[in-house]
Amino acid sequence: MIPRIESGIPGFDELTRPNNGTGGIPENTATLIYGPSKTGKSIFTNQFTYKGLKNDEPCLYITTDNGYKQFKTNMDEFNWPIEKYLDNNTLYLIDTISDVSEGKPKQSESFIQSYINNPTDIMVKVGSGVNYIYKNNHRFRSVLDSATTLLAYNENMLIIRVLKAYLMRVNEAGGTPIIAYTEESADSIVETMLKSMVDNIIRVDGENLYIEAMKGIGKRSSPYQIKDNGIVL
Amino acid sequence: MIPRIESGIPGFDELTRPNNGTGGIPENTATLIYGPSKTGKSIFTNQFTYKGLKNDEPCLYITTDNGYKQFKTNMDEFNWPIEKYLDNNTLYLIDTISDVSEGKPKQSESFIQSYINNPTDIMVKVGSGVNYIYKNNHRFRSVLDSATTLLAYNENMLIIRVLKAYLMRVNEAGGTPIIAYTEESADSIVETMLKSMVDNIIRVDGENLYIEAMKGIGKRSSPYQIKDNGIVL
Amino acid sequence: MIPRIESGIPGFDELTRPNNGTGGIPENTATLIYGPSKTGKSIFTNQFTYKGLKNDEPCLYITTDNGYKQFKTNMDEFNWPIEKYLDNNTLYLIDTISDVSEGKPKQSESFIQSYINNPTDIMVKVGSGVNYIYKNNHRFRSVLDSATTLLAYNENMLIIRVLKAYLMRVNEAGGTPIIAYTEESADSIVETMLKSMVDNIIRVDGENLYIEAMKGIGKRSSPYQIKDNGIVL
Amino acid sequence: MIPRIESGIPGFDELTRPNNGTGGIPENTATLIYGPSKTGKSIFTNQFTYKGLKNDEPCLYITTDNGYKQFKTNMDEFNWPIEKYLDNNTLYLIDTISDVSEGKPKQSESFIQSYINNPTDIMVKVGSGVNYIYKNNHRFRSVLDSATTLLAYNENMLIIRVLKAYLMRVNEAGGTPIIAYTEESADSIVETMLKSMVDNIIRVDGENLYIEAMKGIGKRSSPYQIKDNGIVL
Amino acid sequence: MIPRIESGIPGFDELTRPNNGTGGIPENTATLIYGPSKTGKSIFTNQFTYKGLKNDEPCLYITTDNGYKQFKTNMDEFNWPIEKYLDNNTLYLIDTISDVSEGKPKQSESFIQSYINNPTDIMVKVGSGVNYIYKNNHRFRSVLDSATTLLAYNENMLIIRVLKAYLMRVNEAGGTPIIAYTEESADSIVETMLKSMVDNIIRVDGENLYIEAMKGIGKRSSPYQIKDNGIVL
Amino acid sequence: MIPRIESGIPGFDELTRPNNGTGGIPENTATLIYGPSKTGKSIFTNQFTYKGLKNDEPCLYITTDNGYKQFKTNMDEFNWPIEKYLDNNTLYLIDTISDVSEGKPKQSESFIQSYINNPTDIMVKVGSGVNYIYKNNHRFRSVLDSATTLLAYNENMLIIRVLKAYLMRVNEAGGTPIIAYTEESADSIVETMLKSMVDNIIRVDGENLYIEAMKGIGKRSSPYQIKDNGIVL
């Protein structure tokens, strides 16, 4: 029986409940969430992040689509305040994109700046981040939002290899990683490889959430809506 | 509740009205308007620009399809005179294309020449433009018309990154940017990435205007016509 | 109200008549005529050229498909003699292709040799041609027949940029340019960009002529035939 | 009225007869014959060649698919002996392919060796061949069989330019050239460009011969068979 | 009559039984198992591996998707313990991927580290592995799981050549190799070549297992499920 | 009337019988056999080879898919022993692939090693082989099995040119060559070019054998099976 961690998405843990035991995201496995743009992928990963933080599970968050300021705005929109988790270093944030707009957020022990066009630097800092978190807690979450922007700034197959390394590093340290990806923002071979690297595949299309694959259960689906408290199934 | 700014397009603010509050373009979010050629995308952005100017909101306008002369002709066609806004520096115009035809419009504090084949220079001047406007007014509009010509003169993924930086810079300064793009003037991956970078997506096909995505509301659509006073829904 | 110039094609000016005023090609706008091979695109542009010459409007003609000899043969086939217009310098001919067959037509003030595989040289000579014509007459026509051969001899995106510059140069000097292009002789992105650069789009398929877009009017179409006096709608 | 030359293919001149006058291949125009492999394209061009030789019209023949030995075998198969025409120099043969198999046919005044992978050399020798023939006879035929092999040995757009130059050179000297091409042996853009360079387009599919375009007549078609005396409509 | 070896998959040997004799995987032939991601390809190859080990047939296993730790976890999930086979050197493991996550498993006589992005090193170590096993046992199994990750880290045609060499080396030494591959993780030409290199082709789609080709029998298929003891037909 | 040679495939010579005379493979013409993988293409060419050897016609065999050992196994499977023909030098074997697996078969006068990734070396050795055979016998067979592996190891258009040279060399020496090719293992342009280079085209799909083109007859087809004595129509 694979242990599960609470997703934080109302209805999701019920949808993914196996025949016996509880549902949720299978712990220490890798998940891909993908779908067209504007369907709530980032909301899902943010909701997953906030649930973990509230449960005292640290989170290693790599943001490639939004700088810190916009990330915070997006969290605040759903009333998910993140400052205190940054302050107590349970949210470990690698911001790879603020540099693009020349914004210069102050750095701290758990607030690290990296560069979207420098995957090597990102991997080094992911490595440090995993080590930092791992020292205190062998159960943690990790989010990379999203692969799409990494693909825009770098050669595709290089990013496939970076994401493979990211997933392996987090998994080996006991963490539970999620990658978000905008459907068709790379060629179909990249998408197939992304899917072949993870254990669980979730697709959202604006109306339904599909469990295309998940450790321990078969294919399932449910309608969903985006409400004031995030995604609700 | 996200504040909205008046689009200037008759019928558009009604179409985009959320359940409570007023409609229009959500302030400080990024918008893409796209569709086939000759469907009124530039008219939409020009109408949006002129409305802002009349409302005392400055506008940072990057023109890549038409030089100043043609831009002015296009505005005059709908009786939207722009000279006084250039004179009082509330219209900040970055003209990246006049150089191509060796026309040499005089430069001024708010009338800047750049080069369609030099995205670095464009970004530097966008940066200066944002700073110039931001000093006086934290609420402003910005238009880039259009991504298509930038793509013709430069490598595609480079332009995706330039547009990402453009949107982030304007958003961080409090502005509300719109990008116009001719459908299928780049491969589908570029289009998917463009859509994933913005908050709002508007498509026009010559007969209907579709809100494919917009902060705070669902999908909507309305027929439209191009009349003497611009686009009318 | 945009002024119109006579196309010279029987039936065309009637087809393109707006609600009020006369039809024809909108003056000082850019036109694309395209369609499969052998459908009369060159005949259309030649007919347009000859009409202008007869009306005392000079014409800047860039020939890329046929050398002077074949161009003259094509004109003679429809009884459109051009020698006197070359002699009085109202036909300004840039012959980019005779060089390929090592034919060496004598050059004159208004008969200029250029090279199909040297777009920079073509642009320099277009610049000189525009200046030459502009000194005497601010109303003139210009034809580039065709983009297809330019695309065969040069990198596609370079030609898109050359055509953009060509259209801007002619438009700024007050001229009315037409570009001919064989459908599907470049990838669909090139075609989309060509269409996005012009104001008017005409398609011919051997049986019908379609006004896909034109300043001041909506979509229209008419059957046509190629007769002894050229295209007749 | 465009003069016509006898094709030599039974039924073809009847099929292509205009309203008044006689049918055949329009003199001094360029023709493309294309279709799938094994449908008789080479037989058509050989038949056309032999008819000219019998009518005392010289022929400039560029062979790229078969060396001299196989070319002669193919002609003999239909009882079209060519030796005497080589001897009296009315058949001017440029053999670009025998070199590949290290066969070394003796050269003569009108039997020239060239190299399939050296388009510049081919063009130089086409130039010499045209000059050689032109001195004695301003009416001549020319065949290039086939573009397909040239495309296999060289960059595609280079061959488009070589074929353009070939057609122009022959046409300016008064000759009537035909190019054979195997359908879909290059991408569709190459095919479109081939079609846009010629005046007449003939397609054969093993069952029917289609006149897709020909100076002075509209689209026509006829079934055909390959018999002991060649193609018969 | 080709000898068969037990697959270890309940029902598979029955499905593949020829008219006379026993079923299973034909000995000393090459097999490809492919299908979409998450359909049990790795489970199949692991089951095949464990069956061999239990039957005292050594196995040369090249792991490219999972490092040793994850490989062991995957085997344990189905209660297939592998440690003792590593200890007695009948499981010869080439781990090409642990290096990516900087995990450093200890090496031993039969536990070899290689590098996913260094196909030459992999081939050298495959060579050593085959020699090591061959000294003691001319009947052995070999698994490469999977080609997909090799393709992500290297140029496609290079991997086709590496896989060809891998299959030939194992076959010549008397072994029976299986390659796993995620459908559509490379272009269709790569897939066609993979299929042309092997003797047996098995496809799994999550619901059915298809024998698309196998030495000695025709096409066959059967539904399957993934149970606690692995794949069951 | 083109002479025919016995194919060795029961039923094939009947299928290909022209109106008068006997069937079989037309002598001194080039044949392509193609189709999906695992449909018996190699069996066909091996059967053709063995028939020739039994008829005292030498055979030049270029093996690119299987090394000598596997080639011999494949022949033995159908009881077609080849050793004595290697010993009496009527089977001239160019083994381009054993080198890949580091197997080192002894060389002899008619057993030559070459290298799959060195087409120049292959062509030199084909040249020597043709000369060797030609000295004693102007009637011989030749097989290249298969083009697919050559395409995997080399640039596609280079292989098209190598195959063209191979066919010309064998044909000029009086031989009858066959090339095997796995359908869709290269792009469609390569396939079209392969077809345009040969005289006869045979397709097998596992159930039917289609004569798509053959000198002297039209399209024909027949079901076939793979039996103990090879392919039987």
Side-chain angles (χ1 to χ4, degrees):
Chain A
M1 187 67 72
I2 306 164
R4 306 266 172 161
I5 59 179
E6 290 179 89
S7 64
I9 287 90
F12 184 89
D13 296 2
E14 287 68 33
L15 177 68
T16 55
R17 179 179 294 143
N19 292 335
N20 47 7
T22 58
I25 301 283
E27 189 168 16
N28 202 23
T29 66
T31 299
L32 175 72
I33 180 164
Y34 79 110
S37 57
K38 317 296 150 218
T39 53
K41 295 178 300 293
S42 292
I43 298 172
F44 185 102
T45 58
N46 289 349
Q47 213 163 347
F48 171 80
T49 298
Y50 191 68
K51 183 68 178 182
L53 294 173
K54 293 227 312 186
N55 286 358
D56 292 327
E57 299 171 23
C59 183
L60 170 65
Y61 197 107
I62 301 107
T63 177
T64 67
D65 280 5
N66 302 296
Y68 170 66
K69 188 175 160 184
Q70 185 64 43
F71 172 57
K72 189 179 165 316
T73 302
N74 291 348
M75 296 299 272
D76 286 347
E77 205 175 309
F78 293 97
N79 198 25
W80 300 327
I82 55 170
E83 290 88 340
K84 73 169 177 182
Y85 301 108
L86 276 173
D87 289 346
N88 71 15
N89 296 333
T90 55
L91 175 58
Y92 190 100
L93 188 67
I94 300 177
D95 178 345
T96 68
I97 194 75
S98 283
D99 178 64
V100 168
S101 63
E102 292 188 11
K104 299 196 191 309
K106 68 178 194 307
Q107 301 203 18
S108 74
E109 206 170 340
S110 65
F111 185 177
I112 307 296
Q113 189 171 4
S114 185
Y115 309 95
I116 186 73
N117 60 350
N118 188 343
T120 304
D121 186 73
I122 296 174
M123 279 319 298
V124 167
K125 283 163 180 170
V126 163
S128 309
V130 167
N131 291 341
Y132 183 90
I133 288 177
Y134 182 77
K135 274 182 296 191
N136 300 308
N137 205 322
H138 291 206
R139 161 180 278 191
F140 64 99
R141 304 180 177 209
S142 182
V143 165
L144 189 149
D145 180 29
S146 68
T148 302
T149 311
L150 278 175
L151 291 161
Y153 279 80
N154 302 282
E155 195 269 320
N156 280 4
M157 280 300 132
L158 173 60
I159 293 309
I160 286 291
R161 301 194 288 262
V162 163
L163 295 176
K164 174 82 182 170
Y166 162 68
L167 294 176
M168 289 186 69
R169 189 78 60 89
V170 172
N171 272 335
E172 287 195 0
T176 304
I178 294 188
I179 292 174
Y181 167 72
T182 302
E183 195 173 15
E184 295 181 6
S185 66
D187 67 39
S188 66
I189 286 173
V190 167
E191 291 198 19
T192 302
M193 287 196 165
L194 270 173
K195 291 179 185 174
S196 81
M197 290 192 313
V198 296
D199 301 295
N200 317 305
I201 303 174
I202 301 169
R203 184 171 182 274
V204 285
D205 67 3
E207 298 188 348
N208 290 286
L209 180 150
Y210 303 88
I211 306 292
E212 295 189 346
M214 184 168 280
K215 282 265 179 184
I217 65 171
K219 291 178 196 296
R220 299 180 184 184
S221 70
S222 164
Y224 72 95
Q225 285 188 292
I226 299 175
K227 300 197 169 166
D228 286 354
N229 56 339
I231 287 180
V232 179
L233 267 59
Chain B
M1 187 67 71
I2 306 165
R4 306 267 172 159
I5 59 178
E6 290 180 89
S7 65
I9 288 90
F12 184 89
D13 296 2
E14 287 67 33
L15 178 68
T16 56
R17 180 179 293 143
N19 292 336
N20 47 6
T22 58
I25 301 283
E27 189 167 17
N28 201 22
T29 66
T31 299
L32 175 73
I33 179 163
Y34 79 109
S37 57
K38 317 297 149 219
T39 54
K41 296 178 299 293
S42 292
I43 298 171
F44 184 103
T45 59
N46 289 349
Q47 214 163 347
F48 172 80
T49 298
Y50 191 69
K51 184 68 177 180
L53 294 173
K54 291 227 312 186
N55 285 359
D56 292 328
E57 299 172 21
C59 183
L60 170 65
Y61 196 108
I62 300 107
T63 177
T64 67
D65 280 4
N66 302 295
Y68 170 65
K69 188 175 160 184
Q70 186 64 43
F71 172 56
K72 188 179 164 317
T73 301
N74 292 348
M75 297 298 272
D76 285 347
E77 205 175 308
F78 294 97
N79 198 24
W80 300 327
I82 55 170
E83 289 88 341
K84 72 169 179 181
Y85 301 107
L86 276 173
D87 289 346
N88 72 14
N89 296 333
T90 54
L91 174 58
Y92 191 99
L93 188 67
I94 300 177
D95 178 345
T96 68
I97 193 74
S98 283
D99 179 65
V100 168
S101 62
E102 293 188 10
K104 298 194 193 311
K106 69 178 194 308
Q107 302 202 17
S108 74
E109 206 171 338
S110 65
F111 184 177
I112 306 295
Q113 189 171 5
S114 185
Y115 309 95
I116 186 74
N117 60 351
N118 188 343
T120 304
D121 186 73
I122 296 174
M123 281 317 298
V124 167
K125 284 165 179 168
V126 163
S128 308
V130 167
N131 291 341
Y132 182 90
I133 288 177
Y134 183 77
K135 275 182 297 190
N136 300 308
N137 203 323
H138 291 206
R139 161 180 278 191
F140 65 99
R141 305 182 176 207
S142 182
V143 165
L144 190 151
D145 181 29
S146 68
T148 303
T149 312
L150 278 174
L151 291 161
Y153 278 80
N154 301 283
E155 194 270 319
N156 281 3
M157 280 300 132
L158 173 60
I159 293 310
I160 286 291
R161 301 193 290 260
V162 163
L163 295 176
K164 174 82 180 170
Y166 162 68
L167 294 175
M168 290 186 68
R169 190 78 61 89
V170 172
N171 272 335
E172 287 194 0
T176 304
I178 294 188
I179 292 174
Y181 167 72
T182 301
E183 193 173 17
E184 296 182 5
S185 66
D187 66 39
S188 67
I189 286 173
V190 167
E191 291 198 19
T192 301
M193 286 196 166
L194 271 173
K195 290 179 185 174
S196 81
M197 290 192 314
V198 296
D199 301 295
N200 317 306
I201 303 174
I202 300 168
R203 184 172 181 272
V204 285
D205 67 3
E207 298 188 348
N208 291 286
L209 180 151
Y210 304 88
I211 306 293
E212 296 190 344
M214 184 168 281
K215 282 264 180 186
I217 64 171
K219 291 180 196 295
R220 299 182 184 183
S221 71
S222 164
Y224 73 95
Q225 283 188 292
I226 299 175
K227 299 198 170 165
D228 285 354
N229 56 337
I231 287 180
V232 178
L233 267 58
Chain C
M1 187 69 70
I2 306 165
R4 306 268 171 161
I5 59 178
E6 289 179 88
S7 65
I9 288 89
F12 184 90
D13 296 2
E14 287 68 33
L15 177 68
T16 56
R17 180 179 293 144
N19 291 335
N20 46 6
T22 58
I25 301 283
E27 189 168 17
N28 202 22
T29 65
T31 300
L32 175 73
I33 179 163
Y34 79 110
S37 58
K38 315 296 149 221
T39 53
K41 295 178 299 293
S42 292
I43 298 172
F44 185 104
T45 59
N46 289 349
Q47 212 163 347
F48 172 79
T49 298
Y50 191 70
K51 184 66 177 181
L53 294 173
K54 291 226 314 187
N55 285 359
D56 292 329
E57 299 171 22
C59 183
L60 170 65
Y61 196 108
I62 300 108
T63 177
T64 66
D65 280 5
N66 302 295
Y68 170 66
K69 188 176 161 185
Q70 186 65 41
F71 172 56
K72 189 179 164 317
T73 302
N74 291 349
M75 296 298 271
D76 285 346
E77 205 175 308
F78 293 98
N79 198 25
W80 299 328
I82 55 169
E83 289 89 341
K84 73 170 177 180
Y85 301 107
L86 276 172
D87 289 347
N88 70 15
N89 295 333
T90 55
L91 175 57
Y92 191 101
L93 188 67
I94 301 177
D95 177 346
T96 68
I97 193 76
S98 283
D99 180 64
V100 169
S101 62
E102 293 189 10
K104 298 195 193 310
K106 70 179 192 308
Q107 301 202 17
S108 74
E109 206 171 339
S110 65
F111 186 177
I112 307 296
Q113 191 172 3
S114 185
Y115 310 95
I116 187 73
N117 60 350
N118 187 342
T120 304
D121 186 72
I122 296 174
M123 279 318 297
V124 167
K125 284 165 180 169
V126 164
S128 308
V130 167
N131 291 340
Y132 182 91
I133 287 176
Y134 183 77
K135 274 182 297 191
N136 300 307
N137 204 322
H138 291 205
R139 161 179 279 190
F140 65 98
R141 304 179 177 209
S142 182
V143 164
L144 190 151
D145 181 29
S146 70
T148 303
T149 312
L150 278 174
L151 291 161
Y153 279 79
N154 302 282
E155 194 269 319
N156 280 5
M157 279 301 131
L158 173 60
I159 293 309
I160 286 291
R161 301 194 288 260
V162 164
L163 295 176
K164 174 83 181 167
Y166 162 68
L167 294 176
M168 289 185 69
R169 190 76 62 88
V170 172
N171 273 335
E172 287 196 359
T176 304
I178 294 188
I179 292 174
Y181 167 71
T182 301
E183 194 173 17
E184 295 182 4
S185 65
D187 66 38
S188 67
I189 286 173
V190 167
E191 291 198 19
T192 301
M193 287 198 165
L194 270 173
K195 290 179 185 174
S196 81
M197 290 191 314
V198 296
D199 301 294
N200 317 305
I201 303 174
I202 300 169
R203 184 171 182 273
V204 285
D205 67 3
E207 298 188 349
N208 290 286
L209 180 150
Y210 304 89
I211 306 293
E212 296 189 344
M214 183 168 281
K215 282 266 179 184
I217 64 171
K219 292 178 196 295
R220 299 182 184 182
S221 71
S222 165
Y224 72 96
Q225 284 188 293
I226 300 175
K227 299 198 169 165
D228 286 353
N229 56 336
I231 287 180
V232 178
L233 268 58
Chain D
M1 187 68 72
I2 306 164
R4 306 267 172 160
I5 59 179
E6 291 179 88
S7 65
I9 287 90
F12 184 89
D13 296 1
E14 288 68 33
L15 178 68
T16 55
R17 180 179 293 144
N19 292 336
N20 47 7
T22 58
I25 301 282
E27 189 168 16
N28 202 23
T29 65
T31 298
L32 174 73
I33 180 163
Y34 78 110
S37 57
K38 316 296 149 222
T39 53
K41 296 178 298 293
S42 292
I43 298 172
F44 185 102
T45 58
N46 289 349
Q47 213 163 347
F48 172 79
T49 298
Y50 191 68
K51 183 68 177 181
L53 294 173
K54 291 226 313 186
N55 285 359
D56 292 328
E57 299 171 22
C59 183
L60 170 65
Y61 197 107
I62 301 108
T63 177
T64 66
D65 280 5
N66 302 295
Y68 170 67
K69 188 176 162 185
Q70 186 64 42
F71 172 57
K72 189 179 165 317
T73 301
N74 291 350
M75 296 298 271
D76 286 347
E77 205 176 308
F78 293 97
N79 198 26
W80 300 328
I82 54 169
E83 289 88 340
K84 73 170 176 180
Y85 301 107
L86 276 172
D87 289 346
N88 71 14
N89 296 334
T90 54
L91 175 57
Y92 190 100
L93 188 67
I94 300 176
D95 178 345
T96 67
I97 194 75
S98 283
D99 180 64
V100 168
S101 62
E102 293 189 9
K104 297 194 193 309
K106 70 178 191 309
Q107 301 203 16
S108 76
E109 205 170 340
S110 65
F111 186 176
I112 307 296
Q113 190 172 5
S114 185
Y115 309 95
I116 187 73
N117 60 351
N118 188 342
T120 305
D121 187 73
I122 296 174
M123 279 317 298
V124 167
K125 284 165 179 169
V126 164
S128 308
V130 168
N131 291 340
Y132 182 90
I133 287 176
Y134 182 76
K135 274 183 296 191
N136 300 308
N137 204 323
H138 291 205
R139 160 180 278 190
F140 65 99
R141 304 179 177 210
S142 182
V143 164
L144 189 152
D145 181 30
S146 69
T148 303
T149 312
L150 278 174
L151 290 161
Y153 279 80
N154 302 281
E155 194 269 320
N156 281 4
M157 280 299 132
L158 173 60
I159 293 310
I160 286 291
R161 300 194 287 261
V162 164
L163 295 176
K164 174 82 181 168
Y166 162 68
L167 294 176
M168 289 185 70
R169 189 77 61 90
V170 172
N171 272 336
E172 286 195 0
T176 304
I178 295 188
I179 292 174
Y181 167 71
T182 301
E183 195 173 16
E184 297 182 3
S185 65
D187 66 38
S188 66
I189 286 173
V190 167
E191 291 198 18
T192 301
M193 286 197 166
L194 271 173
K195 290 180 184 174
S196 81
M197 290 191 314
V198 297
D199 301 295
N200 317 305
I201 303 174
I202 300 169
R203 184 170 183 273
V204 286
D205 67 4
E207 298 188 348
N208 290 287
L209 180 150
Y210 304 88
I211 307 292
E212 295 190 345
M214 183 168 283
K215 282 265 179 184
I217 64 171
K219 292 178 195 296
R220 298 182 184 182
S221 71
S222 165
Y224 72 95
Q225 285 188 293
I226 299 175
K227 299 199 168 166
D228 286 352
N229 57 336
I231 287 180
V232 178
L233 267 59
Chain E
M1 187 68 72
I2 306 164
R4 307 267 171 159
I5 59 179
E6 291 179 89
S7 64
I9 287 90
F12 184 89
D13 296 2
E14 288 67 33
L15 177 68
T16 56
R17 180 179 293 143
N19 292 336
N20 47 7
T22 57
I25 301 282
E27 188 168 17
N28 202 24
T29 65
T31 299
L32 175 73
I33 181 164
Y34 79 109
S37 57
K38 315 297 150 218
T39 53
K41 295 179 298 294
S42 292
I43 298 171
F44 184 103
T45 59
N46 288 349
Q47 213 163 348
F48 171 80
T49 297
Y50 191 69
K51 183 68 178 180
L53 294 173
K54 292 227 313 187
N55 285 0
D56 292 327
E57 300 170 24
C59 184
L60 169 65
Y61 197 107
I62 301 107
T63 178
T64 67
D65 279 6
N66 302 296
Y68 170 66
K69 188 176 162 183
Q70 186 65 42
F71 172 57
K72 188 179 167 316
T73 302
N74 291 348
M75 295 299 271
D76 285 348
E77 205 176 308
F78 294 97
N79 197 25
W80 299 328
I82 54 168
E83 289 89 340
K84 74 169 177 181
Y85 301 107
L86 275 173
D87 289 347
N88 71 15
N89 296 334
T90 54
L91 175 57
Y92 190 100
L93 189 67
I94 301 176
D95 178 345
T96 67
I97 194 74
S98 283
D99 178 65
V100 168
S101 63
E102 292 188 11
K104 298 196 193 310
K106 69 178 193 305
Q107 301 203 18
S108 75
E109 205 171 340
S110 65
F111 186 177
I112 307 296
Q113 189 171 4
S114 185
Y115 309 95
I116 186 73
N117 59 351
N118 188 343
T120 304
D121 186 73
I122 297 174
M123 280 318 299
V124 167
K125 284 164 179 169
V126 164
S128 308
V130 167
N131 291 340
Y132 182 91
I133 288 177
Y134 182 77
K135 275 184 297 191
N136 300 308
N137 204 322
H138 291 207
R139 160 180 279 191
F140 65 97
R141 304 181 177 208
S142 182
V143 165
L144 190 150
D145 181 29
S146 69
T148 302
T149 312
L150 278 175
L151 291 161
Y153 279 80
N154 301 281
E155 194 270 320
N156 281 3
M157 280 299 132
L158 173 61
I159 293 309
I160 286 290
R161 301 194 288 262
V162 164
L163 295 176
K164 174 83 181 169
Y166 162 68
L167 294 176
M168 289 185 68
R169 189 78 61 89
V170 172
N171 272 335
E172 287 195 0
T176 304
I178 294 188
I179 292 173
Y181 167 72
T182 301
E183 195 173 16
E184 295 181 6
S185 65
D187 67 38
S188 66
I189 287 173
V190 167
E191 292 198 18
T192 301
M193 287 198 166
L194 270 173
K195 290 179 185 173
S196 81
M197 290 191 314
V198 296
D199 302 295
N200 317 305
I201 303 173
I202 300 169
R203 184 171 182 273
V204 285
D205 67 3
E207 298 188 348
N208 290 287
L209 180 150
Y210 303 89
I211 307 292
E212 295 190 346
M214 183 168 281
K215 282 264 179 185
I217 65 171
K219 292 177 195 297
R220 298 181 184 183
S221 71
S222 165
Y224 72 95
Q225 284 188 293
I226 299 175
K227 300 197 168 165
D228 286 354
N229 56 338
I231 286 180
V232 178
L233 267 58
Chain F
M1 186 68 72
I2 305 165
R4 306 267 172 159
I5 59 178
E6 290 179 88
S7 65
I9 288 90
F12 184 89
D13 297 1
E14 288 68 32
L15 177 68
T16 55
R17 181 178 293 143
N19 291 336
N20 46 7
T22 57
I25 301 283
E27 189 167 18
N28 202 22
T29 65
T31 299
L32 174 73
I33 181 164
Y34 79 109
S37 57
K38 316 298 150 219
T39 53
K41 295 178 299 294
S42 293
I43 298 171
F44 185 102
T45 59
N46 289 349
Q47 213 163 348
F48 172 80
T49 298
Y50 191 68
K51 183 68 177 180
L53 294 173
K54 292 228 311 186
N55 285 359
D56 292 327
E57 299 171 23
C59 184
L60 170 65
Y61 196 108
I62 301 108
T63 178
T64 65
D65 280 5
N66 302 295
Y68 170 65
K69 186 175 163 185
Q70 186 64 41
F71 173 56
K72 189 179 165 317
T73 301
N74 291 348
M75 295 298 271
D76 286 348
E77 205 176 308
F78 293 97
N79 197 26
W80 299 328
I82 55 168
E83 289 89 340
K84 74 169 176 179
Y85 301 107
L86 276 173
D87 289 346
N88 71 16
N89 296 335
T90 54
L91 175 56
Y92 190 100
L93 189 67
I94 301 176
D95 178 345
T96 67
I97 194 75
S98 283
D99 179 65
V100 168
S101 63
E102 293 189 9
K104 299 195 193 310
K106 69 178 190 308
Q107 301 203 17
S108 75
E109 205 171 340
S110 65
F111 185 176
I112 308 295
Q113 190 171 6
S114 184
Y115 309 95
I116 187 73
N117 59 350
N118 188 342
T120 304
D121 186 73
I122 296 174
M123 279 318 298
V124 167
K125 284 165 179 168
V126 164
S128 309
V130 167
N131 291 340
Y132 183 90
I133 287 177
Y134 183 77
K135 274 184 297 191
N136 300 308
N137 204 323
H138 291 206
R139 162 180 278 190
F140 65 99
R141 304 180 176 208
S142 181
V143 164
L144 189 150
D145 182 28
S146 69
T148 302
T149 312
L150 278 174
L151 291 161
Y153 278 79
N154 302 282
E155 195 269 321
N156 281 3
M157 280 299 132
L158 173 60
I159 293 310
I160 286 290
R161 300 193 289 261
V162 164
L163 295 176
K164 174 83 182 168
Y166 162 68
L167 294 176
M168 289 185 70
R169 189 77 62 91
V170 172
N171 272 334
E172 287 195 359
T176 305
I178 294 188
I179 292 174
Y181 167 72
T182 301
E183 194 173 16
E184 296 181 6
S185 65
D187 67 38
S188 66
I189 286 174
V190 167
E191 291 198 19
T192 301
M193 286 197 167
L194 270 172
K195 291 179 185 175
S196 80
M197 289 191 315
V198 297
D199 302 295
N200 317 305
I201 303 174
I202 300 168
R203 184 170 183 274
V204 286
D205 67 3
E207 298 188 348
N208 290 286
L209 179 150
Y210 304 89
I211 307 292
E212 294 189 345
M214 183 168 282
K215 282 264 179 184
I217 64 171
K219 293 177 195 297
R220 298 180 185 184
S221 70
S222 165
Y224 72 95
Q225 285 187 292
I226 299 175
K227 299 198 168 165
D228 286 354
N229 56 337
I231 287 180
V232 178
L233 267 59

